[in-house]
Amino acid sequence: MKKILHFIDGEYSNPVSDLWIEGINPATGEIITQISNGDVRDVEKAFQAATRAFSIWSNYSSTERFQILNRIAELIEENLEELAIAETIDTGKPLRLSKEVEIPRAASNFRFFATASLQFASESHSMNQAINYTLRQAIGVVGCISPWNLPLYLFTWKIAPALATGNCVIAKPSEMSPSTAAMLGELCNKAGLPKGVLNILQGEGKGVGNAIVNHPGIKAISFTGGTKTGQHISAIAGPMFKKLSLELGGKNPCLVFDDCNLELTVSEVARLAFSNQGQICLCGSRILIEETIYEEFKNKLIEKVSKLIVGDPLDPKTQFGSLISFEHKKKVQSYIQLAIEEGGNLLYGGNEIQLEGRCKNGSFISPAIFENLGPKCRTNQEEIFGPVITLQKFKGELEAIELANDSVYGLAATVWTENVRKAHRVAQKLNTGIVWINCWLLRDLRTPFGGMNASGVGREGGLEAMRFFTEAKNVCVYYN
Ligand code: NAD
């Protein structure tokens, strides 16, 4: 059985506790790995290594950092096939998604922040007879904790800017998707990253994750995951005055106006609802449709979704794979049951799927589409994080905005209209950190990324990330 080890001080090691978690392939139900279950002792080892490395790494020039981080990007690309297969086996997501989106994006994250380290500059403010300049200095040892849904993609989205700004990192992937993070350690060694600069700890959130957050020497925590976990982390890190970036859950609205390009919108709504089996924080789950096109849109959407190829995630034709785990499947099924109890009309799917062959014991369910559920019901308020969407009707712009904003979350929204004035007006009024107009998941890594309200605090991406991972120090020089 393959063992997933910690990567501390440039070397792979067993957990001090010698405790292990079983890693399960959700598409087959097979136990595939034994994962190190780290604890506070492993965090301390990693912290010591990171502290030693900090004096070296923070003194590297930006060009030296660029060269190493850029080399990591190249190595991710050179190992794309192997990384994509590992990602798909851990998570049950279609291989084409891993190959075409996730692993390439992990490489882009490193490349983007490698070049950002060359470009990053700080401000100066001149006064009469004095000048202020602001230093942006590395914080020290920082913690990065990421979820299972886009494993290497979100892991590197944090690690790359933390390293680019001269910090040393203690990072933890989700215990549900540890493999690609573990593989990254070896690539970092090959790229010449000094030992101890990046330490990758494996294990459960309540153990090793909690120990990272509680460690007094780890000065900043960048976390992506569920809102409840974010609250817990915030309660610990807040009183310790740690810098905190929280990217949390969502319940994203999708506003379809009757003047949209119907064919494009139907196709893109099917994609934004069910990519990665609805397990992307940016997936739309509340589909709001102008009443004049409601029936037509609904029928076309059902037809489109019914054509999604559900199957073995390793089959290159598969468009819709398994859910992340059997436990998560149960959670999603309980929401489907709840939606029915709340009076929802199940228009399509929601049933358990039993495939033949290798995947006959996998955690598959078909994409579910509901209607007749009011905005206040739990199905429309709580994050399901699976392939379940609801359709709601609206009449005019104001009602669309009201429905869209009727949520504790505020991560991302999409707006579908050919009327450019309306698109801008609506975008201004939506309470979300991201608005896509006539597109979805189109990402420019320079733009701020993140949500408001229960979807998080702070933004990642571009300068926002570079600023988060540095301390600003103003120096005022009087020269009269
Ligand atoms: P989760 O909160 O259960 O876990 C996320 C990570 O935190 C994992 O590595 C986990 O081990 C760790 N963790 C859990 N408890 C911890 C604790 N007490 N202390 C420290 N670390 C702890 O989330 P998940 O189930 O892995 O991911 C799904 C959630 O992530 C969804 O809510 C989704 O919306 C959200 N998400 C948000 C974004 C975003 O950018 N806003 C992106 C992806 C996923």
mmCIF file of all heavy atoms in Angstrom, residues 205-248:
data_model
loop_
_atom_site.group_PDB
_atom_site.id
_atom_site.type_symbol
_atom_site.label_atom_id
_atom_site.label_comp_id
_atom_site.label_asym_id
_atom_site.label_seq_id
_atom_site.Cartn_x
_atom_site.Cartn_y
_atom_site.Cartn_z
ATOM 1 N N GLY A 205 -7.804 17.703 9.803
ATOM 2 C CA GLY A 205 -7.923 19.098 10.206
ATOM 3 C C GLY A 205 -7.916 19.253 11.711
ATOM 4 O O GLY A 205 -7.232 20.137 12.257
ATOM 5 N N LYS A 206 -8.660 18.393 12.394
ATOM 6 C CA LYS A 206 -8.780 18.568 13.848
ATOM 7 C C LYS A 206 -7.451 18.279 14.559
ATOM 8 O O LYS A 206 -7.264 18.714 15.704
ATOM 9 C CB LYS A 206 -9.908 17.710 14.401
ATOM 10 C CG LYS A 206 -9.719 16.229 14.208
ATOM 11 C CD LYS A 206 -10.862 15.450 14.827
ATOM 12 C CE LYS A 206 -10.535 13.993 14.893
ATOM 13 N NZ LYS A 206 -11.196 13.027 14.210
ATOM 14 N N GLY A 207 -6.540 17.571 13.908
ATOM 15 C CA GLY A 207 -5.237 17.293 14.512
ATOM 16 C C GLY A 207 -4.190 18.260 14.002
ATOM 17 O O GLY A 207 -3.965 19.331 14.576
ATOM 18 N N VAL A 208 -3.601 17.890 12.874
ATOM 19 C CA VAL A 208 -2.474 18.679 12.370
ATOM 20 C C VAL A 208 -2.908 20.089 11.914
ATOM 21 O O VAL A 208 -2.191 21.075 12.131
ATOM 22 C CB VAL A 208 -1.725 17.890 11.262
ATOM 23 C CG1 VAL A 208 -2.558 17.732 10.011
ATOM 24 C CG2 VAL A 208 -0.394 18.518 10.927
ATOM 25 N N GLY A 209 -4.101 20.183 11.327
ATOM 26 C CA GLY A 209 -4.592 21.502 10.871
ATOM 27 C C GLY A 209 -4.728 22.445 12.056
ATOM 28 O O GLY A 209 -4.247 23.583 12.049
ATOM 29 N N ASN A 210 -5.378 21.948 13.075
ATOM 30 C CA ASN A 210 -5.581 22.720 14.293
ATOM 31 C C ASN A 210 -4.238 23.126 14.928
ATOM 32 O O ASN A 210 -4.080 24.245 15.423
ATOM 33 C CB ASN A 210 -6.352 21.819 15.263
ATOM 34 C CG ASN A 210 -7.318 22.601 16.110
ATOM 35 O OD1 ASN A 210 -7.802 23.647 15.704
ATOM 36 N ND2 ASN A 210 -7.570 22.106 17.299
ATOM 37 N N ALA A 211 -3.283 22.212 14.879
ATOM 38 C CA ALA A 211 -1.968 22.497 15.476
ATOM 39 C C ALA A 211 -1.245 23.602 14.699
ATOM 40 O O ALA A 211 -0.529 24.414 15.301
ATOM 41 C CB ALA A 211 -1.123 21.222 15.515
ATOM 42 N N ILE A 212 -1.439 23.639 13.394
ATOM 43 C CA ILE A 212 -0.824 24.725 12.596
ATOM 44 C C ILE A 212 -1.432 26.066 13.018
ATOM 45 O O ILE A 212 -0.729 27.046 13.272
ATOM 46 C CB ILE A 212 -1.035 24.482 11.073
ATOM 47 C CG1 ILE A 212 -0.263 23.249 10.613
ATOM 48 C CG2 ILE A 212 -0.639 25.717 10.256
ATOM 49 C CD1 ILE A 212 -0.559 22.795 9.178
ATOM 50 N N VAL A 213 -2.763 26.071 13.114
ATOM 51 C CA VAL A 213 -3.447 27.334 13.456
ATOM 52 C C VAL A 213 -3.056 27.804 14.857
ATOM 53 O O VAL A 213 -2.895 28.997 15.107
ATOM 54 C CB VAL A 213 -4.985 27.141 13.348
ATOM 55 C CG1 VAL A 213 -5.719 28.403 13.774
ATOM 56 C CG2 VAL A 213 -5.384 26.755 11.921
ATOM 57 N N ASN A 214 -2.882 26.857 15.780
ATOM 58 C CA ASN A 214 -2.578 27.203 17.170
ATOM 59 C C ASN A 214 -1.122 27.552 17.423
ATOM 60 O O ASN A 214 -0.791 28.068 18.493
ATOM 61 C CB ASN A 214 -2.944 26.021 18.081
ATOM 62 C CG ASN A 214 -4.384 26.111 18.538
ATOM 63 O OD1 ASN A 214 -4.736 26.991 19.330
ATOM 64 N ND2 ASN A 214 -5.236 25.238 18.010
ATOM 65 N N HIS A 215 -0.239 27.220 16.489
ATOM 66 C CA HIS A 215 1.195 27.412 16.766
ATOM 67 C C HIS A 215 1.510 28.910 16.896
ATOM 68 O O HIS A 215 1.270 29.689 15.964
ATOM 69 C CB HIS A 215 2.030 26.801 15.646
ATOM 70 C CG HIS A 215 3.456 26.624 16.050
ATOM 71 N ND1 HIS A 215 4.309 27.693 16.279
ATOM 72 C CD2 HIS A 215 4.178 25.516 16.302
ATOM 73 C CE1 HIS A 215 5.495 27.246 16.634
ATOM 74 N NE2 HIS A 215 5.445 25.916 16.661
ATOM 75 N N PRO A 216 2.073 29.328 18.029
ATOM 76 C CA PRO A 216 2.283 30.768 18.217
ATOM 77 C C PRO A 216 3.305 31.377 17.258
ATOM 78 O O PRO A 216 3.273 32.588 16.998
ATOM 79 C CB PRO A 216 2.790 30.874 19.668
ATOM 80 C CG PRO A 216 3.223 29.497 20.048
ATOM 81 C CD PRO A 216 2.468 28.528 19.191
ATOM 82 N N GLY A 217 4.192 30.546 16.701
ATOM 83 C CA GLY A 217 5.231 31.087 15.815
ATOM 84 C C GLY A 217 4.761 31.239 14.369
ATOM 85 O O GLY A 217 5.446 31.867 13.557
ATOM 86 N N ILE A 218 3.631 30.662 14.039
ATOM 87 C CA ILE A 218 3.127 30.759 12.654
ATOM 88 C C ILE A 218 2.248 32.003 12.589
ATOM 89 O O ILE A 218 1.193 32.066 13.205
ATOM 90 C CB ILE A 218 2.373 29.466 12.257
ATOM 91 C CG1 ILE A 218 3.333 28.277 12.337
ATOM 92 C CG2 ILE A 218 1.775 29.593 10.856
ATOM 93 C CD1 ILE A 218 2.716 26.923 12.069
ATOM 94 N N LYS A 219 2.751 32.995 11.878
ATOM 95 C CA LYS A 219 2.203 34.346 12.027
ATOM 96 C C LYS A 219 1.036 34.663 11.112
ATOM 97 O O LYS A 219 0.381 35.697 11.263
ATOM 98 C CB LYS A 219 3.306 35.381 11.755
ATOM 99 C CG LYS A 219 4.493 35.256 12.684
ATOM 100 C CD LYS A 219 4.120 35.760 14.063
ATOM 101 C CE LYS A 219 5.313 35.756 15.000
ATOM 102 N NZ LYS A 219 4.930 35.717 16.385
ATOM 103 N N ALA A 220 0.821 33.845 10.096
ATOM 104 C CA ALA A 220 -0.303 34.114 9.187
ATOM 105 C C ALA A 220 -0.898 32.786 8.753
ATOM 106 O O ALA A 220 -0.174 31.796 8.600
ATOM 107 C CB ALA A 220 0.184 34.885 7.966
ATOM 108 N N ILE A 221 -2.209 32.790 8.576
ATOM 109 C CA ILE A 221 -2.891 31.578 8.114
ATOM 110 C C ILE A 221 -3.710 31.937 6.883
ATOM 111 O O ILE A 221 -4.548 32.839 6.903
ATOM 112 C CB ILE A 221 -3.862 31.015 9.188
ATOM 113 C CG1 ILE A 221 -3.140 30.680 10.503
ATOM 114 C CG2 ILE A 221 -4.641 29.815 8.648
ATOM 115 C CD1 ILE A 221 -2.241 29.463 10.461
ATOM 116 N N SER A 222 -3.439 31.209 5.810
ATOM 117 C CA SER A 222 -4.271 31.349 4.619
ATOM 118 C C SER A 222 -5.068 30.055 4.509
ATOM 119 O O SER A 222 -4.498 28.973 4.362
ATOM 120 C CB SER A 222 -3.373 31.560 3.401
ATOM 121 O OG SER A 222 -4.174 31.544 2.249
ATOM 122 N N PHE A 223 -6.381 30.188 4.607
ATOM 123 C CA PHE A 223 -7.236 28.997 4.685
ATOM 124 C C PHE A 223 -8.288 29.025 3.584
ATOM 125 O O PHE A 223 -8.933 30.053 3.356
ATOM 126 C CB PHE A 223 -7.939 28.964 6.050
ATOM 127 C CG PHE A 223 -9.032 27.922 6.132
ATOM 128 C CD1 PHE A 223 -8.724 26.581 6.348
ATOM 129 C CD2 PHE A 223 -10.369 28.268 5.972
ATOM 130 C CE1 PHE A 223 -9.724 25.614 6.405
ATOM 131 C CE2 PHE A 223 -11.380 27.308 6.029
ATOM 132 C CZ PHE A 223 -11.055 25.985 6.254
ATOM 133 N N THR A 224 -8.494 27.900 2.941
ATOM 134 C CA THR A 224 -9.646 27.732 2.047
ATOM 135 C C THR A 224 -10.382 26.478 2.476
ATOM 136 O O THR A 224 -9.771 25.407 2.636
ATOM 137 C CB THR A 224 -9.204 27.609 0.573
ATOM 138 O OG1 THR A 224 -8.541 28.819 0.213
ATOM 139 C CG2 THR A 224 -10.400 27.431 -0.352
ATOM 140 N N GLY A 225 -11.689 26.614 2.675
ATOM 141 C CA GLY A 225 -12.484 25.461 3.106
ATOM 142 C C GLY A 225 -13.874 25.907 3.500
ATOM 143 O O GLY A 225 -14.359 26.959 3.065
ATOM 144 N N GLY A 226 -14.500 25.116 4.357
ATOM 145 C CA GLY A 226 -15.881 25.390 4.737
ATOM 146 C C GLY A 226 -16.011 26.582 5.690
ATOM 147 O O GLY A 226 -15.071 26.922 6.410
ATOM 148 N N THR A 227 -17.195 27.190 5.691
ATOM 149 C CA THR A 227 -17.433 28.377 6.519
ATOM 150 C C THR A 227 -17.315 28.047 8.010
ATOM 151 O O THR A 227 -16.739 28.827 8.784
ATOM 152 C CB THR A 227 -18.812 28.974 6.167
ATOM 153 O OG1 THR A 227 -18.734 29.413 4.800
ATOM 154 C CG2 THR A 227 -19.171 30.148 7.050
ATOM 155 N N LYS A 228 -17.822 26.884 8.420
ATOM 156 C CA LYS A 228 -17.735 26.519 9.847
ATOM 157 C C LYS A 228 -16.277 26.368 10.279
ATOM 158 O O LYS A 228 -15.885 26.826 11.353
ATOM 159 C CB LYS A 228 -18.452 25.177 10.088
ATOM 160 C CG LYS A 228 -19.909 25.357 10.381
ATOM 161 C CD LYS A 228 -20.427 24.225 11.248
ATOM 162 C CE LYS A 228 -21.853 24.537 11.626
ATOM 163 N NZ LYS A 228 -22.787 23.506 11.197
ATOM 164 N N THR A 229 -15.478 25.735 9.444
ATOM 165 C CA THR A 229 -14.055 25.581 9.782
ATOM 166 C C THR A 229 -13.405 26.960 9.846
ATOM 167 O O THR A 229 -12.591 27.234 10.729
ATOM 168 C CB THR A 229 -13.321 24.704 8.741
ATOM 169 O OG1 THR A 229 -14.135 23.594 8.415
ATOM 170 C CG2 THR A 229 -11.985 24.226 9.239
ATOM 171 N N GLY A 230 -13.789 27.827 8.921
ATOM 172 C CA GLY A 230 -13.255 29.195 8.905
ATOM 173 C C GLY A 230 -13.570 29.934 10.199
ATOM 174 O O GLY A 230 -12.717 30.632 10.752
ATOM 175 N N GLN A 231 -14.792 29.726 10.698
ATOM 176 C CA GLN A 231 -15.185 30.382 11.963
ATOM 177 C C GLN A 231 -14.300 29.878 13.105
ATOM 178 O O GLN A 231 -13.825 30.652 13.932
ATOM 179 C CB GLN A 231 -16.628 30.005 12.309
ATOM 180 C CG GLN A 231 -17.639 30.958 11.762
ATOM 181 C CD GLN A 231 -19.067 30.442 11.956
ATOM 182 O OE1 GLN A 231 -19.291 29.262 12.191
ATOM 183 N NE2 GLN A 231 -20.013 31.344 11.827
ATOM 184 N N HIS A 232 -14.097 28.564 13.112
ATOM 185 C CA HIS A 232 -13.292 27.940 14.158
ATOM 186 C C HIS A 232 -11.856 28.488 14.131
ATOM 187 O O HIS A 232 -11.294 28.879 15.155
ATOM 188 C CB HIS A 232 -13.324 26.419 13.930
ATOM 189 C CG HIS A 232 -12.447 25.644 14.840
ATOM 190 N ND1 HIS A 232 -12.845 25.270 16.103
ATOM 191 C CD2 HIS A 232 -11.195 25.176 14.683
ATOM 192 C CE1 HIS A 232 -11.855 24.610 16.680
ATOM 193 N NE2 HIS A 232 -10.842 24.543 15.839
ATOM 194 N N ILE A 233 -11.300 28.552 12.925
ATOM 195 C CA ILE A 233 -9.914 29.025 12.771
ATOM 196 C C ILE A 233 -9.810 30.488 13.193
ATOM 197 O O ILE A 233 -8.874 30.894 13.892
ATOM 198 C CB ILE A 233 -9.463 28.825 11.305
ATOM 199 C CG1 ILE A 233 -9.245 27.323 11.060
ATOM 200 C CG2 ILE A 233 -8.208 29.636 10.965
ATOM 201 C CD1 ILE A 233 -8.909 26.954 9.653
ATOM 202 N N SER A 234 -10.813 31.247 12.804
ATOM 203 C CA SER A 234 -10.815 32.665 13.126
ATOM 204 C C SER A 234 -10.864 32.889 14.640
ATOM 205 O O SER A 234 -10.200 33.788 15.174
ATOM 206 C CB SER A 234 -12.032 33.222 12.397
ATOM 207 O OG SER A 234 -12.299 34.442 12.684
ATOM 208 N N ALA A 235 -11.623 32.038 15.334
ATOM 209 C CA ALA A 235 -11.737 32.176 16.792
ATOM 210 C C ALA A 235 -10.400 31.904 17.489
ATOM 211 O O ALA A 235 -10.106 32.457 18.548
ATOM 212 C CB ALA A 235 -12.808 31.232 17.326
ATOM 213 N N ILE A 236 -9.576 31.054 16.876
ATOM 214 C CA ILE A 236 -8.255 30.772 17.471
ATOM 215 C C ILE A 236 -7.244 31.840 17.058
ATOM 216 O O ILE A 236 -6.504 32.382 17.875
ATOM 217 C CB ILE A 236 -7.740 29.387 17.020
ATOM 218 C CG1 ILE A 236 -8.688 28.294 17.511
ATOM 219 C CG2 ILE A 236 -6.317 29.129 17.510
ATOM 220 C CD1 ILE A 236 -8.439 26.949 16.870
ATOM 221 N N ALA A 237 -7.225 32.119 15.756
ATOM 222 C CA ALA A 237 -6.167 32.991 15.222
ATOM 223 C C ALA A 237 -6.393 34.466 15.569
ATOM 224 O O ALA A 237 -5.421 35.202 15.746
ATOM 225 C CB ALA A 237 -6.075 32.816 13.705
ATOM 226 N N GLY A 238 -7.659 34.863 15.684
ATOM 227 C CA GLY A 238 -7.972 36.272 15.969
ATOM 228 C C GLY A 238 -7.294 36.771 17.236
ATOM 229 O O GLY A 238 -6.511 37.728 17.192
ATOM 230 N N PRO A 239 -7.558 36.127 18.393
ATOM 231 C CA PRO A 239 -6.934 36.610 19.634
ATOM 232 C C PRO A 239 -5.403 36.511 19.632
ATOM 233 O O PRO A 239 -4.746 37.157 20.441
ATOM 234 C CB PRO A 239 -7.520 35.675 20.705
ATOM 235 C CG PRO A 239 -8.743 35.093 20.084
ATOM 236 C CD PRO A 239 -8.497 35.046 18.622
ATOM 237 N N MET A 240 -4.854 35.698 18.711
ATOM 238 C CA MET A 240 -3.384 35.620 18.633
ATOM 239 C C MET A 240 -2.840 36.668 17.652
ATOM 240 O O MET A 240 -1.650 36.714 17.385
ATOM 241 C CB MET A 240 -2.953 34.216 18.171
ATOM 242 C CG MET A 240 -3.336 33.120 19.160
ATOM 243 S SD MET A 240 -3.021 31.468 18.488
ATOM 244 C CE MET A 240 -1.337 31.231 19.012
ATOM 245 N N PHE A 241 -3.732 37.486 17.094
ATOM 246 C CA PHE A 241 -3.378 38.557 16.150
ATOM 247 C C PHE A 241 -2.625 38.039 14.931
ATOM 248 O O PHE A 241 -1.697 38.669 14.444
ATOM 249 C CB PHE A 241 -2.582 39.669 16.856
ATOM 250 C CG PHE A 241 -3.286 40.188 18.070
ATOM 251 C CD1 PHE A 241 -2.757 40.000 19.342
ATOM 252 C CD2 PHE A 241 -4.505 40.837 17.947
ATOM 253 C CE1 PHE A 241 -3.429 40.455 20.465
ATOM 254 C CE2 PHE A 241 -5.179 41.297 19.072
ATOM 255 C CZ PHE A 241 -4.647 41.104 20.325
ATOM 256 N N LYS A 242 -3.042 36.877 14.451
ATOM 257 C CA LYS A 242 -2.423 36.374 13.221
ATOM 258 C C LYS A 242 -3.072 37.032 12.030
ATOM 259 O O LYS A 242 -4.268 37.331 12.057
ATOM 260 C CB LYS A 242 -2.646 34.861 13.107
ATOM 261 C CG LYS A 242 -1.966 34.083 14.198
ATOM 262 C CD LYS A 242 -1.976 32.594 13.937
ATOM 263 C CE LYS A 242 -1.330 31.900 15.120
ATOM 264 N NZ LYS A 242 -0.696 30.660 14.828
ATOM 265 N N LYS A 243 -2.304 37.206 10.976
ATOM 266 C CA LYS A 243 -2.932 37.637 9.719
ATOM 267 C C LYS A 243 -3.765 36.472 9.223
ATOM 268 O O LYS A 243 -3.333 35.309 9.291
ATOM 269 C CB LYS A 243 -1.859 37.957 8.677
ATOM 270 C CG LYS A 243 -1.269 39.330 8.819
ATOM 271 C CD LYS A 243 -0.385 39.656 7.627
ATOM 272 C CE LYS A 243 -1.025 40.707 6.752
ATOM 273 N NZ LYS A 243 -0.119 41.145 5.666
ATOM 274 N N LEU A 244 -4.927 36.783 8.689
ATOM 275 C CA LEU A 244 -5.853 35.709 8.336
ATOM 276 C C LEU A 244 -6.501 35.983 6.977
ATOM 277 O O LEU A 244 -7.030 37.073 6.748
ATOM 278 C CB LEU A 244 -6.935 35.679 9.426
ATOM 279 C CG LEU A 244 -7.691 34.394 9.685
ATOM 280 C CD1 LEU A 244 -6.763 33.216 9.861
ATOM 281 C CD2 LEU A 244 -8.570 34.563 10.919
ATOM 282 N N SER A 245 -6.436 34.992 6.116
ATOM 283 C CA SER A 245 -7.165 35.073 4.845
ATOM 284 C C SER A 245 -8.086 33.861 4.808
ATOM 285 O O SER A 245 -7.630 32.721 4.965
ATOM 286 C CB SER A 245 -6.159 35.028 3.689
ATOM 287 O OG SER A 245 -6.815 34.744 2.488
ATOM 288 N N LEU A 246 -9.373 34.096 4.647
ATOM 289 C CA LEU A 246 -10.344 33.002 4.695
ATOM 290 C C LEU A 246 -11.158 32.962 3.409
ATOM 291 O O LEU A 246 -11.854 33.926 3.089
ATOM 292 C CB LEU A 246 -11.295 33.192 5.891
ATOM 293 C CG LEU A 246 -10.672 33.212 7.284
ATOM 294 C CD1 LEU A 246 -11.710 33.602 8.335
ATOM 295 C CD2 LEU A 246 -10.064 31.862 7.631
ATOM 296 N N GLU A 247 -11.030 31.879 2.668
ATOM 297 C CA GLU A 247 -11.839 31.678 1.452
ATOM 298 C C GLU A 247 -12.808 30.552 1.771
ATOM 299 O O GLU A 247 -12.410 29.394 1.884
ATOM 300 C CB GLU A 247 -10.936 31.282 0.274
ATOM 301 C CG GLU A 247 -9.897 32.318 -0.097
ATOM 302 C CD GLU A 247 -10.511 33.612 -0.581
ATOM 303 O OE1 GLU A 247 -11.673 33.617 -1.014
ATOM 304 O OE2 GLU A 247 -9.817 34.639 -0.500
ATOM 305 N N LEU A 248 -14.087 30.896 1.903
ATOM 306 C CA LEU A 248 -15.035 29.924 2.479
ATOM 307 C C LEU A 248 -16.125 29.519 1.482
ATOM 308 O O LEU A 248 -15.955 29.644 0.290
ATOM 309 C CB LEU A 248 -15.610 30.527 3.762
ATOM 310 C CG LEU A 248 -14.544 31.063 4.741
ATOM 311 C CD1 LEU A 248 -15.199 31.718 5.952
ATOM 312 C CD2 LEU A 248 -13.582 29.975 5.162
#
